[in-house]
Amino acid sequence: MKYSYMYCLIFLALSLLTAFTPASSSNGLDGPFYDSTAYTECRAEAEKPLYNGGMLKDQKPSVSGRDSLTGIGARYTPTYILHNLTQNTIYCFSIWVKIEAGAASARVRARLRADNATLNCVGSVTAKHGCWSFLKGGFLLDSPCNQSILFFETSNDDSKIQLQVASASLQPFTQEQWRNIQDYFINTARKRAVTIHVSEENGESVEGAEVTVEQISKDFPIGSAISKTILGNIPYQEWFVKRFDATVFENELKWYATEPDQGKLNYTLADKMMNFVRANRIIARGHNIFWEDPKYNPNWVRNLSGEDLRSAVNRRIKSLMTRYRGEFVHWDVSNEMLHFDFYESRLGKNASYGFFAAAREIDSLATLFFNDFNVVETCSDEKSTVDEYIARVRELQRYDGIRMDGIGLEGHFTTPNVALMRAIIDKLATLQLPIWLTEIDISSSLDHRTQAIYLEQVLREGFSHPSVNGIMLWTALHPNGCYQMCLTDDKFRNLPAGDMVDQKLLEWKTREVKATTDDHGSFSFFGFLGEYRVGIVYQGKTVNSSFSLSQGPETKHVRLQI
């Protein structure tokens, strides 16, 4: 039987991809494969260690006084002594933790003391008395370390708390191995094999037909915030539309923008921005209905309490959601509620959950999100640990059957820890809800080239994680720059971060494919998920069609007649 060269390549690639299982080493990758396993329920028994323990296989923890580790206090903690850690290696760490005595529950974080520095948090978990909780994280080192100490702290720093640990694992990955693993996930989660069949009306296969395939839209949205500065700014609009198919309004939908004075609603800017969105067939996230941080609420709202505040809240939801019903694919309903509690402190515990119910009643098709910072950026912020996020979601799900549909992770990074980022998303993925990186940027404390390097790390991590559904950059352009990171200067000349984003947008889109059908009348290729246009030319005849490529394990077959 005769196959085209392209078909053989596709068959070989599929064989390599589908033959792999995490327990197997014959996966076409050099070294171990990343284990996405995560647990979020407290268990009677600890599970077996990931990677069979990795570097910690058969190593038992010692118990050391914390004063010998950090110079603080005298409490004792389980510790692991690590030898010969290398620079730029990605270390994935996991362990099961249980409180033996001293408290019913406590937040526990793993720390690493190396030769020249201490990493404040390489993973955290809410541990409980009497059952085992799973901590998953990781770290990278800027320089090699001959000997380092991995130890644990509790949030309340109670010397009476006694911890027990089990099934520890530390697995190293080289940068090349990590990148290859990311590519594997991209190829399996973001792409799919396609075979186009061309036949005559009588069903006879057509050999030698010229096939042109072009991707016209992508299934995975990558977008950027915009602000009112885009209105009337043709160069900015052209620069934006050339790149992005998704957006979010930076400030123009926030309560302080739409109703700065009580009863005086003003949607002028938001309406104009929505016209721009519609005209260019862009999808948009709604940000936000309420912000729990008091300083970002209108002055007049901060002075309300009781029924007056409740009435104002109800009017806000009705006005905003009715005006834009069906326009926004998402709404950040209660922004940063892990860190702040403006409404709940005035309207009662769980008052914010009522916002979700009211928003759902008006716009039942919009996906409703929690949205918060320092969830994937770090595990040092005790208000927004991954377990705190999961606990709030589950609490909402138990509250009178109210639904929350999406997980919003802001992603304001300084130095990304990709091992920790992936581990946290693994745990969030157990909720089986859409996950979006909603406000990605890199701190302005870094130079432009470092911003670009770190941004690529974050984007690759997000795009390659199968549970992430979209990415939004927090890069709206203003006359004085951007919130933290710009992609372009005021003349729309790309900065290094902009060049990197352009590179990723091109890399993660199927380029135009031209080929001829083989003796079976077929042509095969791998394509990124999305919408496609296909053209067939044969003996002076032309046929144009289109097809959708959605996620699936099987080859997509497209049959055309000419």
Side-chain angles (χ1 to χ4, degrees):
M1 187 177 293
K2 195 174 169 185
Y3 294 90
S4 71
Y5 177 66
M6 176 64 77
Y7 191 86
C8 290
L9 287 178
I10 297 299
F11 181 81
L12 176 61
L14 278 174
S15 299
L16 288 173
L17 292 176
T18 56
F20 167 74
T21 60
S24 169
S25 60
S26 59
N27 51 51
L29 299 174
D30 178 22
F33 192 76
Y34 179 80
D35 193 332
S36 301
T37 303
Y39 306 90
T40 56
E41 300 284 356
C42 207
R43 300 199 167 197
E45 300 293 336
E47 298 289 336
K48 293 180 180 180
L50 304 186
Y51 312 104
N52 199 27
M55 293 175 62
L56 299 181
K57 183 180 180 181
D58 300 326
Q59 185 177 149
K60 302 295 183 183
S62 58
V63 180
S64 302
R66 190 159 57 98
D67 53 345
S68 66
L69 301 174
T70 63
I72 305 173
R75 184 166 59 81
Y76 287 79
T77 172
T79 62
Y80 291 90
I81 308 302
L82 309 177
H83 298 283
N84 301 321
L85 300 183
T86 55
Q87 182 180 4
N88 292 328
T89 297
I90 296 168
Y91 291 94
C92 292
F93 174 66
S94 62
I95 197 166
W96 288 84
V97 183
K98 178 170 70 173
I99 295 177
E100 280 290 289
S105 67
R107 285 187 291 273
V108 176
R109 64 176 173 174
R111 302 181 65 188
L112 183 77
R113 182 167 186 178
D115 290 338
N116 300 317
T118 298
L119 303 182
N120 285 327
C121 188
V122 299
S124 69
V125 71
T126 300
K128 297 179 181 179
H129 178 263
C131 62
W132 292 94
S133 299
F134 184 64
L135 182 154
K136 191 175 190 184
F139 58 89
L140 295 84
L141 294 177
D142 294 331
S143 58
C145 180
N146 293 326
Q147 179 173 294
S148 55
I149 303 172
L150 187 64
F151 61 101
F152 303 88
E153 281 188 345
T154 57
S155 55
N156 51 9
D157 204 27
D158 190 338
S159 61
K160 297 179 181 179
I161 294 179
Q162 298 176 25
L163 298 178
Q164 186 176 353
V165 296
S167 298
S169 173
L170 185 67
Q171 179 62 50
F173 294 89
T174 67
Q175 293 286 338
E176 182 181 4
Q177 288 170 340
W178 194 262
R179 197 172 187 89
N180 288 340
I181 291 165
Q182 289 176 326
D183 287 340
Y184 169 85
F185 282 123
I186 290 171
N187 286 333
T188 53
R190 308 297 179 205
K191 301 177 79 173
R192 187 175 174 185
V194 181
T195 296
I196 295 174
H197 305 269
V198 182
S199 66
E200 298 183 48
E201 290 184 359
N202 63 5
E204 289 290 327
S205 298
V206 174
E207 180 180 4
E210 296 178 1
V211 183
T212 302
V213 181
E214 179 187 4
Q215 186 173 14
I216 55 177
S217 68
K218 294 176 288 185
D219 185 66
F220 188 98
I222 297 177
S224 171
I226 57 173
S227 72
K228 61 185 179 182
T229 56
I230 204 166
L231 298 175
N233 190 334
I234 302 304
Y236 189 8
Q237 293 178 8
E238 291 175 346
W239 180 91
F240 187 92
V241 171
K242 181 181 177 182
R243 289 162 174 81
F244 299 117
D245 53 10
T247 193
V248 58
F249 301 175
E250 187 179 42
N251 298 312
E252 288 74 12
L253 286 171
K254 293 169 183 172
W255 201 352
Y256 65 74
T258 61
E259 194 177 0
D261 299 308
Q262 188 171 9
K264 297 181 180 179
L265 296 170
N266 187 348
Y267 291 106
T268 302
L269 291 175
D271 285 349
K272 290 180 179 179
M273 292 168 72
M274 178 50 68
N275 287 340
F276 168 75
V277 165
R278 293 192 200 104
N280 292 284
R281 294 174 294 177
I282 296 169
I283 66 168
R285 303 189 72 249
H287 176 79
N288 52 53
I289 303 176
F290 296 108
W291 200 339
E292 292 288 347
D293 189 342
K295 70 181 180 182
Y296 293 114
N297 281 279
N299 289 331
W300 64 270
V301 171
R302 292 202 296 267
N303 293 325
L304 298 178
S305 60
E307 288 306 311
D308 290 338
L309 179 58
R310 194 178 304 277
S311 296
V313 161
N314 291 337
R315 288 193 301 270
R316 160 72 173 172
I317 296 177
K318 184 176 181 180
S319 170
L320 183 68
M321 298 296 290
T322 300
R323 188 179 193 88
Y324 296 112
R325 181 168 48 219
E327 298 281 11
F328 292 97
V329 294
H330 301 165
W331 278 103
D332 293 330
V333 176
S334 193
N335 200 47
E336 299 177 356
M337 63 187 298
L338 295 178
H339 286 90
F340 308 103
D341 63 350
F342 173 79
Y343 294 99
E344 292 193 351
S345 66
R346 289 159 175 77
L347 299 177
K349 181 174 172 56
N350 297 333
S352 298
Y353 297 164
F355 303 163
F356 283 86
R360 169 84 56 216
E361 186 174 346
I362 298 173
D363 193 346
S364 61
L365 297 182
T367 305
L368 306 182
F369 275 70
F370 275 160
N371 191 52
D372 221 310
F373 63 92
N374 279 355
V375 183
V376 290
E377 298 95 316
T378 179
C379 57
S380 297
D381 188 336
E382 293 184 354
K383 291 184 177 181
S384 56
T385 65
V386 61
D387 285 8
E388 287 295 317
Y389 199 115
I390 290 170
R392 289 305 292 267
V393 172
R394 287 179 172 158
E395 187 177 303
L396 173 62
Q397 291 171 337
R398 292 191 297 266
Y399 188 80
D400 290 339
I402 294 173
R403 269 181 39 226
M404 188 279 290
D405 307 308
I407 295 168
L409 308 173
E410 292 186 13
H412 298 291
F413 289 89
T414 301
T415 303
N417 177 346
V418 294
L420 178 67
M421 179 180 174
R422 181 161 286 264
I424 288 171
I425 297 176
D426 287 344
K427 292 192 76 171
L428 291 168
T430 64
L431 293 170
Q432 297 184 317
L433 294 171
I435 298 173
W436 274 62
L437 306 180
T438 56
E439 302 181 18
I440 295 297
D441 62 18
I442 307 296
S443 172
S444 60
S445 64
L446 303 170
D447 64 74
H448 287 163
R449 295 204 174 277
T450 304
Q451 283 183 322
I453 292 169
Y454 287 167
L455 180 61
E456 186 198 18
Q457 294 176 9
V458 172
L459 292 183
R460 277 188 63 86
E461 208 57 58
F463 189 70
S464 66
H465 199 293
S467 296
V468 175
N469 287 27
I471 298 174
M472 202 70 68
L473 303 169
W474 207 246
T475 48
L477 185 64
H478 298 271
N480 58 344
C482 306
Y483 176 67
Q484 289 289 332
M485 179 187 74
C486 286
L487 302 180
T488 177
D489 63 16
D490 59 359
K491 303 296 185 184
F492 303 100
R493 295 170 298 203
N494 270 5
L495 299 172
D499 285 338
M500 192 281 303
V501 169
D502 282 355
Q503 177 188 343
K504 293 297 138 190
L505 292 174
L506 183 62
E507 179 183 335
W508 295 334
K509 180 180 180 181
T510 305
R511 301 188 186 190
E512 185 180 69
V513 179
K514 289 181 177 290
T516 57
T517 55
D518 60 16
D519 58 347
H520 294 275
S522 301
F523 157 66
S524 299
F525 70 99
F526 266 117
F528 284 97
L529 307 181
E531 300 294 320
Y532 284 80
R533 184 163 46 227
V534 56
I536 310 293
V537 177
Y538 181 69
Q539 293 183 349
K541 293 181 288 186
T542 300
V543 171
N544 294 308
S545 187
S546 61
F547 64 92
S548 297
L549 188 60
S550 57
Q551 193 170 34
E554 299 177 331
T555 300
K556 169 83 171 184
H557 290 269
V558 179
R559 297 189 179 275
L560 301 173
Q561 287 187 345
I562 193 163

